[in-house]
Amino acid sequence: MMLLTNKAEQPVASLLLAHGAGAGMNSDFMQQLAEQIAACGVTVHRFNFSYMQRSEEEGKKRPPQPLPKLMNDFEAALESVDSQSPLFVGGKSMGGRVASMLGDSERIKGCLCYGYPFHPPGKPDKLRTAHLQEGGKPILILQGERDPFGTRVECENFQLHPRVRLSFIDDGEHSFKPRKSAATTLEQNMTNAAHRSLDFIKACL
């Protein structure tokens, strides 16, 4: 499994970060997030799920593989991380969902989800929250207030386990981008996401 690493100076922890369904580890969101978090003092490792790696090699779009295969890919990436510092997992959207299901590993201290896909857009009855209602490792979900996969109004009505902490990104959509009329910018939202990630990691250590 090939890892792309943004090294932090004197890292307090490492974060293994997975991409979302439609764009790989080199997407603008993934690159910017990795750079910002590394600047905060956490080394970030990125990887592609095997379907995305094949898609990039062939130059042809491919749909995500079933959840068990995605979990196997994530576990393979975990084995590739050679880190002496405390290890966290996380991901964008689908990648965060997969990461949130890996909490049984003794190596993992906690999980960070960036834009959790609580339900498919327009299908609020198809919730993906069952495992978030059970005990396990600490989870931070950073969610755009306007995310079509779960808005702030919707999220505040979900019954989630106390181990799951929700933190909302001002006026953000699924990739934290605010409207032009908003009082915040995408860059500010990404910086806030990185700083909140660091606060969560430190609280877990």
Side-chain angles (χ1 to χ4, degrees), residues 8-15 37-38 40-43 83-88 109 197-199 201-202 205:
E9 292 182 27
Q10 299 179 319
V12 296
S14 294
L15 171 63
I37 293 174
C40 286
V42 177
T43 291
S83 173
Q84 303 305 313
S85 55
L87 182 60
F88 290 75
K109 302 296 184 188
S197 299
L198 177 65
D199 290 343
I201 286 169
K202 284 183 171 179
L205 298 178

Side-chain angles (χ1 to χ4, degrees), residues 70 72 76 78 136 159 195:
L70 297 175
N72 286 342
L78 261 177
Q159 300 298 313
H195 284 290

